[in-house]
Amino acid sequence: MIERYTRPEMGRIWSEEYKFQKWLQVEVAVCEAWHELGLIPAEDLEVIRRARFDLGEWKAAFEETRHDVTAFLRVVTRDLGPAGRWVHYGLTSSDVMDTALSLQFVEAIDLLDRDLAALEEVVVGLARAHRDTLMVGRTHGVHAEPITFGFKLAGWVDEVRRNRRRLQAARSEVAVGKISGAVGTYAHVPPELEVLACRRLGLEPATTSTQVISRDRHAAVMTTLAVLAGSLERFATEIRHLQRTEVLEVEEPFRPGQTGSSAMPHKRNPELTERICGLARLVRAYAVTALENVALWHERDISHSSTERVAVPDAFIVLDYAIDLFTQVMRGLRVYPERMARNLELTGGLLYSQRLMLALIDRGLKREEAYRVVQRLAMQAWETGESFRKLVSSDPEVCRHLTAGDLAEVFDPAYFVRNIGEVYRRLGID
C-alpha cells in the first residue's frame, strides 16, 4: 500500500522485516517444542534462540535460491553451527509461513479492534449530545418522518459494535497454527509437537490441515473486513448526502487554510468521506480475491500466495487508515441543528401525513377513506407548494373529524421521537 494510506503500526505488522521475524518466531517455537519432546539438546536450543535474521542477506540468498523459505533458512542458520541442523526439522514451508501469517492476522485484527473502540467512543458521545436534535428522516432520499440526529448515530454505534463482534469471530477462525508437515499427515512431526509449538505462539492447532491452513479461514477474515468497510462507506455516504449545499445539516471538518478546489475558492467538499467510500471498494475487491483463494488444487497449490502478498496487507492497512480517518471526521464533525429544523419544515408539514391519517382512523374513518383524504391534500401541497398544515386546517372534510387541538397534536414532532429512549437503553448509552 502507498505510504499516504499507511499508518506506522499497521504498516509495521505487514512489513517484510516483520514477516520474517514472525517466521523466525515460529521456527524457534518448534525447536523449543522438539526440545520438550527430547529431540533437541538444551545447548543446541540456546544457540538456536540466538538466531538472527537480516533482510539484506535474505535478498542476496533469494537471488540464488529463488525460494523464500530456503533463502530464509540459509540466513538464519548461517551462524548457528551444528545446532542449525534442527531448524525447520520435519517441517514444510507452509508450516512456517501459514503459522506466522496467523500471528500477523491476530495482531492486525487486534489493532483494528482498537481503532473501532476509539470510533465507537466518539460516535457514542455524539449520539448522546444530539439525542434530542430533531431532523427529518429520509427514505429513497425523500422526506419521511421526524427522527433525531442522535437516533441516527445510535444506529451507527450498534453497527460498529456488530463489526467488532464479527472481527472477534474472524480472529478465532484464523488464530490457528499448522505444524503438520508436507501434506498435513504428521509423517515427520508428531501431533503433540504442533500442540506444544502453537501453545507457545498463543495459537490453537488447526484441527485438520493439508500442506496449508485452509483458506476458508482467511476468506472469513477478509470478508469480515469487507463488511466493516461497507459500514464505513454507509456512514461516510450519509455525511456526504447531509453535506450537500441543498441540505447542509452536517459538514466535515474544514481547517483554516484548507482549500476545496483549485478553481473555485468557495468550495468545501466532503473529500474525506469520499476518500473512505473509494477505499472501501478496494477492501471489497480484496475479499473477492480471498474467496477465490479457497479452492486450491488437491493438498495445495501456490496460486493463493501471490495474491495474498498484496491483498491481505493492503486490506488491513487501508481499513486501519479508513477507520482512523472516519474517527477524525466524526471528532470534528460540524452539526447544524438550525438547518435540520429548517429542513424539517421544508414541506410545510407533509411528513406528518401518516399521523394525520391515523388520527382520522381513530375518529371512525375507514383506512382507505382516511388515506384518500390525506393523499388528496398531500398531492395538492406537492404540486402547488402550499403549506400542508394550512391545507389540512382549512379542509372541511378534515375539520369535521379533528379539532384545532387535535391538529396541533398531529403536527407535533415530539410524538415521533418519544420512544427513542428505549433504543438508547438497549445500547446502554442512555
Side-chain angles (χ1 to χ4, degrees):
M1 179 47 59
I2 63 174
E3 184 179 349
R4 177 172 179 172
Y5 301 140
T6 303
R7 298 173 73 215
E9 195 169 357
M10 186 64 83
R12 179 186 62 85
I13 291 173
W14 296 109
S15 67
E16 283 288 280
E17 181 70 39
Y18 197 71
K19 177 185 75 173
F20 287 121
Q21 291 301 329
K22 289 295 158 185
W23 286 14
L24 182 56
Q25 183 181 349
V26 173
E27 293 281 8
V28 171
V30 172
C31 288
E32 290 173 335
W34 273 125
H35 168 68
E36 197 169 343
L37 293 177
L39 177 68
I40 299 179
E43 57 272 21
D44 285 355
L45 180 59
E46 287 308 308
V47 173
I48 291 167
R49 283 173 170 161
R50 294 195 294 270
R52 65 176 187 84
F53 174 80
D54 182 89
L55 186 59
E57 292 179 13
W58 176 87
K59 290 178 179 178
F62 180 75
E63 285 302 311
E64 179 183 344
T65 65
R66 308 308 299 174
H67 191 284
D68 288 13
V69 177
T70 54
F72 166 78
L73 293 171
R74 178 179 295 183
V75 173
V76 167
T77 60
R78 179 170 293 164
D79 299 326
L80 299 185
R85 71 190 188 277
W86 301 118
V87 177
H88 209 68
Y89 186 87
L91 305 187
T92 190
S93 296
S94 293
D95 288 327
V96 178
M97 296 165 66
D98 279 9
T99 304
L101 180 58
S102 292
L103 294 174
Q104 289 175 283
F105 266 121
V106 167
E107 289 189 36
I109 288 171
D110 288 346
L111 184 52
L112 287 186
D113 185 64
R114 196 175 77 194
D115 294 342
L116 285 177
L119 174 59
E120 180 184 335
E121 182 180 4
V122 173
V123 180
V124 166
L126 281 169
R128 285 172 172 155
H130 292 283
R131 173 173 171 158
D132 301 318
T133 303
L134 283 167
M135 69 180 300
V136 65
R138 297 170 172 90
T139 59
H140 305 274
V142 177
H143 287 200
E145 292 185 342
I147 61 171
T148 71
F149 187 53
F151 176 73
K152 184 189 292 288
L153 296 178
W156 295 9
V157 171
D158 196 25
E159 192 161 340
V160 169
R161 290 176 177 176
R162 288 197 301 274
N163 277 301
R164 293 186 69 183
R165 291 194 294 270
R166 291 184 187 110
L167 268 182
Q168 290 309 306
R171 185 187 192 278
S172 67
E173 284 270 358
V174 81
V176 297
K178 167 235 183 308
I179 310 293
S180 55
V183 288
T185 59
Y186 303 98
H188 307 291
V189 292
E192 55 266 36
L193 180 84
E194 181 181 60
V195 173
L196 292 171
C198 286
R199 184 180 300 158
R200 291 175 179 276
L201 296 167
L203 302 173
E204 291 294 323
T207 310
T208 64
S209 59
T210 59
Q211 194 170 91
V212 297
I213 293 175
S214 296
R215 258 44 193 178
D216 65 294
R217 294 180 181 271
H218 303 70
V221 175
M222 297 291 281
T223 52
T224 298
L225 300 189
V227 172
L228 172 50
S231 292
L232 292 178
E233 184 178 17
R234 182 173 91 85
F235 306 156
T237 298
E238 182 70 14
I239 290 173
R240 291 170 61 193
H241 279 307
L242 295 180
Q243 187 168 332
R244 285 179 297 133
T245 307
E246 299 83 2
V247 180
L248 201 56
E249 295 178 351
V250 303
E251 192 177 27
E252 285 184 6
F254 194 85
R255 293 176 293 185
Q258 183 176 341
T259 59
S261 168
S262 63
M264 295 170 284
H266 73 278
K267 295 285 279 179
R268 283 162 59 146
N269 303 324
E271 61 97 5
L272 301 178
T273 46
E274 287 173 340
R275 190 185 311 165
I276 290 166
C277 291
L279 294 177
R281 298 168 191 167
L282 284 179
V283 182
R284 275 197 296 274
Y286 291 141
V288 172
T289 299
L291 290 167
E292 292 176 344
N293 283 343
V294 174
L296 303 179
W297 286 19
H298 305 300
E299 278 57 61
R300 70 135 342 159
D301 62 54
I302 204 172
S303 61
H304 64 289
S305 176
S306 56
T307 64
E308 286 178 354
R309 293 174 193 271
V310 176
V312 173
D314 278 12
F316 274 99
I317 289 171
V318 160
L319 197 49
D320 172 63
Y321 172 83
I323 296 171
D324 179 69
L325 180 60
F326 189 67
T327 303
Q328 293 178 45
V329 168
M330 295 305 289
R331 240 182 224 121
L333 190 69
R334 300 182 179 197
V335 182
Y336 302 121
E338 300 83 1
R339 188 62 178 247
M340 292 177 178
R342 189 191 314 171
N343 288 341
L344 192 65
E345 294 300 317
L346 197 62
T347 61
L350 269 177
L351 64 167
Y352 300 99
S353 67
Q354 180 178 195
R355 180 85 171 106
L356 176 61
M357 180 183 70
L358 295 177
L360 290 171
I361 292 173
D362 288 343
R363 293 298 186 273
L365 271 69
K366 293 181 180 179
R367 179 182 178 85
E368 186 176 352
E369 184 180 2
Y371 192 100
R372 176 188 57 78
V373 170
V374 176
Q375 188 183 43
R376 170 176 57 78
L377 294 168
M379 293 305 102
Q380 184 178 346
W382 270 115
E383 292 163 8
T384 64
E386 296 178 76
S387 166
F388 182 64
R389 274 192 186 85
K390 290 182 179 179
L391 290 172
V392 168
S393 62
S394 61
D395 184 76
E397 199 166 2
V398 172
C399 291
R400 278 201 304 270
H401 302 282
L402 298 174
T403 67
D406 295 331
L407 290 178
E409 291 184 10
V410 164
F411 290 100
D412 183 1
Y415 172 87
F416 292 85
V417 298
R418 69 193 191 284
N419 289 319
I420 66 168
E422 177 60 25
V423 173
Y424 277 69
R425 283 188 288 275
R426 291 175 183 177
L427 291 172
I429 61 172
D430 54 343

